[in-house]
Amino acid sequence: MELNIWPVTDGFAAEVVDLDLSQALDDATVEAVKQAFWTYAVLVFPDQKLTQEQHIDFAKHFGPLETSIGKYRKDVKMRIPLELADVSNLGEGNRILDEDSRLRQFQHGNRLLHTDSSFKFVPGRASLLYAREIPPAGGMTEFADERAAYAALDDATKEQIDGLIAEHCIRYSRMRMGYDRFTEEEIQQMPPVPQVLVRTIPETGRKNLYLASHALKIVGMEDEAARALIDRLIAHATQRQFVYTHRWRVNDLVMWDNRCTMHRGTPFDDLRYKRDVQRATVGEPANSVEMAGLPLPEIAA
Ligand code: OGA
Ligand code: MN
């Protein structure tokens, strides 16, 4: 099956048209989508009309789904099934979250560069975000191509970071935003986890940086040096030539490869406008250190 693919950038983001994701897809079509996904890392499927079940069913073609962080958030009543993450600014009754809502402040963490679920021992492989309602301005999503960013590093840096293991923790990224309303139970459920700093994607053999605002420390390195290195690499990886900014239309489904991209949501007037976006996340089969065949380090909580 030939897909109708329109590159949006040179080799990083593409639109796939003439494909109705609400219908069951045959194997050849799924295979063609996968091939496009390995090439581009960000695929946009415009004008999709999906129920939550159809969204979940399409995502399952790419592997088993993660359940959302909702299971850790005992205080929040979720609007959507556990297989989807609620990335909206809405709460019960589809009302806009209050200014001092804990969930709202937590969602603001998505405005930092990250890759999904790298703070979990087994991180996210692919995310599929579907837009049901979008604000008239702002609320875009920026994606950084960490394959191109890796390729553009100088040899000395490539050598320096080869084999390094970073520690990712959701508390680190939320603390960077000034959010510190974690309960003891949440802190224990989400300890720092190891992730390699450079990954090789098995399907393509391409190497890339694996970075996020969740990463703060590096195993065997002084904290300050680690932070400086991570900040330098993130600054490198987010130069304009590596970034695609997605301006959402209602009914866009955007799918990205968490293994080799970073992303963040840009601000919008979230006390005034609704932005209803929901995400299905496909998990990896194992931790990235295990997948690289390296020994797992001990990490202090
Ligand atoms: C996400 C995310 C950013 C956005 O869904 O994982 O980070 O723009 N979203 O909503
Ligand atoms: Mn995200």
Side-chain angles (χ1 to χ4, degrees):
M1 149 108 202
E2 282 277 321
L3 287 185
N4 194 352
I5 298 177
W6 295 82
V8 180
T9 74
D10 197 11
F12 182 41
E15 295 197 330
V16 183
V17 297
D18 297 336
L19 199 56
D20 180 355
L21 303 181
S22 72
Q23 303 297 310
L25 302 180
D26 61 34
D27 292 349
T29 304
V30 173
E31 186 52 35
V33 171
K34 287 184 181 172
Q35 291 307 326
F37 194 44
W38 312 144
T39 305
Y40 288 99
V42 178
L43 293 181
V44 179
F45 300 87
D47 201 20
Q48 300 295 328
K49 301 203 178 50
L50 303 177
T51 63
Q52 291 176 325
E53 289 66 35
Q54 289 163 341
H55 180 186
I56 291 167
D57 285 348
F58 176 61
K60 281 183 179 161
H61 286 300
F62 307 96
L65 300 195
E66 278 188 354
T67 48
S68 78
I69 198 157
K71 73 178 171 186
Y72 298 114
R73 304 294 316 277
K74 302 259 165 53
D75 57 324
V76 180
K77 205 156 154 240
M78 304 308 282
R79 293 186 313 133
I80 56 179
L82 268 189
E83 289 101 331
L84 295 178
D86 192 352
V87 194
S88 76
N89 63 330
L90 307 177
E92 269 175 72
N94 286 344
R95 280 192 299 273
I96 291 180
L97 295 169
D98 292 337
E99 181 158 20
D100 63 350
S101 139
R102 191 175 186 263
L103 184 56
R104 170 175 182 259
Q105 293 179 8
F106 194 80
Q107 300 282 34
H108 279 186
N110 280 340
R111 295 183 181 178
L112 297 176
L113 285 156
H114 66 281
T115 184
D116 291 330
S117 299
S118 71
F119 58 86
K120 295 182 185 170
F121 184 72
V122 175
R125 168 183 288 184
S127 290
L128 299 92
L129 190 62
Y130 180 54
R132 296 182 176 278
E133 188 163 355
I134 53 156
M140 291 170 274
T141 309
E142 294 178 350
F143 295 94
D145 186 349
E146 297 202 66
R147 307 166 306 176
Y150 178 83
L153 287 172
D154 58 79
D155 288 344
T157 305
K158 283 184 184 162
E159 205 167 301
Q160 180 194 4
I161 63 179
D162 189 38
L164 290 184
I165 296 174
E167 300 178 21
H168 293 233
C169 182
I170 193 159
R171 267 185 300 135
Y172 299 164
S173 54
R174 289 337 186 232
M175 273 156 33
R176 284 189 193 226
M177 302 216 48
Y179 176 94
D180 60 359
R181 293 160 76 179
F182 287 100
T183 63
E184 255 328 294
E185 192 190 359
E186 286 166 346
I187 289 174
Q188 292 194 349
Q189 277 170 337
M190 298 183 283
V193 298
Q195 305 289 1
V196 289
L197 202 56
V198 177
R199 305 189 68 151
T200 305
I201 302 300
E203 291 82 7
T204 59
R206 278 180 85 176
K207 277 187 163 185
N208 61 266
L209 290 166
Y210 189 53
L211 295 164
S213 303
H214 307 308
L216 197 65
K217 303 180 183 203
I218 291 175
V219 174
M221 198 180 275
E222 294 293 338
D223 283 356
E224 247 169 63
R227 201 172 167 151
L229 176 60
I230 290 169
D231 286 350
R232 173 163 79 84
L233 292 172
I234 289 182
H236 167 80
T238 50
Q239 294 172 82
R240 182 179 289 247
Q241 65 270 30
F242 306 131
V243 174
Y244 162 65
T245 302
H246 186 66
R247 182 182 289 276
W248 290 89
R249 295 154 297 196
V250 171
N251 294 335
D252 275 350
L253 182 129
V254 178
M255 172 175 171
W256 63 86
D257 191 335
N258 283 301
R259 302 172 299 180
C260 59
T261 64
M262 272 190 293
H263 63 276
R264 70 170 161 204
T266 69
F268 68 103
D269 192 345
D270 69 336
L271 295 173
R272 180 170 172 198
Y273 297 115
K274 292 185 178 182
R275 182 174 189 265
D276 190 0
V277 288
Q278 306 179 0
R279 191 185 80 219
T281 317
V282 178
E284 277 278 74
N287 174 273
S288 64
V289 176
E290 296 175 306
M291 287 177 76
L294 298 171
L296 282 171
E298 295 275 353
I299 289 185

